[in-house]
Amino acid sequence: MDKIGVLVTHKPLPYLEQELTRRGCRLFRLWESPESRRLEFCRENSSEIRAIVGNSNFGADAATIDALPKLEIVASFSVGLDKVDLPKCKERGIRVTNTPDVLTDDVADLAIGLTISVMRRIPSADKYARSGAWKKGEYTLTTRFSGKRVGILGLGRIGLAIAKRAEAFDCPISYYSRSEKPHPNYTYYSTPVDLASNCDILVVACALTEETRHIVNRAVIDALGPKGVLINIGRGPHVDEPELVAALVEGRLGGAGLDVFENEPHVPEELFALDNVVLVPHVASATIETRTAMADLVLGNLEAHFLKKPLLTAVV
Amino acid sequence: MATTTCTTNTPKIEKKPKVLVLQRINAYFEGVLSPHFDLLKADESSLPIPAFLSTHCRHIRALLVMAPIGTFGSSLLDQLPSLGLIACTSAGVNHIDIDACRKRSVAVTNAGEMFTPDAADYTVGLLVDVLRRVVMADRYVRNGSWMLKGDYPLGSKVSGKRVGIVGLGSIGSHVAKRLTAFGCPISYFSRAPKPNYPSYTYFPNVLDLARESDVLILSCALTDETRNIINRDVMIALGKDGVVINVGRGALIDEPELVRCLKEGVIGGAGLDVFVNEPEVPEELTHMENVVLSDHRAVTTPESFKNVLELAIANLDAFFSGKLLLSPVSC
């Protein structure tokens, strides 16, 4: 990939940066420019930039694509492509790749981990154990996870991996999807509200599209109820965030485990005082093992494109 | 002329069997138990315990022990000459002198498998939280660091980690089932191999288990053999990325050595719900970011307590009607 200009939209994994450089790419570091200057930065370097490495925060929107006439491929360091203007890429003949499968396990692991952490109040337990305030014989009652009904929004790769894990905890599994899937052990509901009415833990595991924006709205939150728990490892905009915050603060929703937010890294401060929420900074794929595998997919896709070989994980 | 026979059927009022309680009993437990048993509560008497026992407890046949705190051995048993059963609502019975009980033909029952699902769930929760740094990441968000400092440092993948379980009993096997769904290969050390679990690899000692594991899960009873079963050699064998999860008893681990090994990077992290001298937590642990600490709450859910109380009632009923106990503790 000698001398190929690559626009990197976010601070990359050191391994990815090293490898791109080692293979001869010229890196243009978009994140180093202030937000107001970013389009200008693209235009200034447009004669060289032939590839974008984007992520879940910044992919390739219409304005960026328009500023880069030589753009041939967007290799996203993510599986979600809600930040890439796919119709525009199709129109321009720009290839788009993502990083499916390699992060499925991590995301599913975290979904279950967040669920247990919320229901059993593990962060509170840790804080209390460190505080010196723990008194002999005192204990805190928290609610059992095993056997609770788990409802999954979206039964794709990640949804299935979550279901497989939850089954090992004897959790009955139900789901909502655009259409019913051939899973006789899992109960299908044709609307998110029906799903929420019939589960104790609702997990968001679908792609973010026009249809799924705010799929978790007031009606769904009400259906989940004061004992229900919401787990979001999808995208912030899947959930109507102000409604979620109000429901948690007012006790109309039992708890939440959130990895994503509508406007990262902003997290509604009203949540900080609550011990029935667990908040993590978009880390569902954030392990050394998985990020390295994701980087290898990005590199593999880029190499394949510039060597005119079949792409590994093309979406467009 | 008809003869009228008048019989008075005096209903036989069944007196509720007396059960001695030496620890403070909470309202919930009392509410569930008192319809079945006449609870004799030591802490409601103004008498000190020895006087209480000699005055009121000579005929006491059953003792209920709730929290696994204190010691219940010969000196107590000597003051309860009619005792036939100690019913415990905990899973662990290391606070009961089982030998002393056996010598006096006092049966002991425990919580059976009632705490198992919660203990297994909590174990998995601790493991994910340690490897994926969930507790520290939650703190990072709440103290505004995500806004100021950017991305949180990477954690370590849970799926596929080699899990070594010390004690493949009820809790250990439930943990194994859960982590198998995470793609974790399971190995174990136990007093003998378990033919029911052919897909799990047996190791005849903890050291070999540690060598071949990324994670060690402690889910065995605390006995003289298992005290300090996790020592420095085991931790060295586990290695610098290794993680120990303990929901059993604090004394399964050489606690000062654990602190040293964490400080020195001999092992990578730990998830601990129990400590040698609760509620004391070694101060150095409270400053570490690669550990998740917890206040012995692995099994404290309403679901568990309801089940455990039902089991205790069933054991006591069986005892008082001369039937087989449901969850007797064997030697």
Side-chain angles (χ1 to χ4, degrees), chain A residues 117 130 140 146 272 277 283, chain B residues 121 129 132 142 178 288 300:
Chain A
S117 302
R130 288 177 201 251
T140 308
S146 271
F272 293 175
V277 304
V283 293
Chain B
D121 292 354
D129 283 4
R132 302 294 302 270
R142 285 177 205 251
R178 283 150 176 72
M288 294 183 188
T300 54

Side-chain angles (χ1 to χ4, degrees), chain A residues 24-78:
Chain A
C25 300
R26 243 176 76 67
L27 299 185
F28 296 89
R29 298 172 175 78
L30 188 66
W31 82 89
E32 286 180 348
S33 292
E35 247 184 89
S36 49
R37 271 218 76 234
R38 282 179 190 171
L39 267 183
E40 219 182 298
F41 178 81
C42 289
R43 282 186 208 110
E44 282 165 11
N45 298 291
S46 61
S47 58
E48 290 194 65
I49 293 173
R50 294 168 65 188
I52 293 180
V53 173
N55 78 340
S56 56
N57 268 334
F58 195 110
D61 58 13
T64 307
I65 294 168
D66 281 338
L68 298 171
K70 296 219 171 144
L71 183 62
E72 298 170 34
I73 178 169
V74 176
S76 192
F77 191 78
S78 70

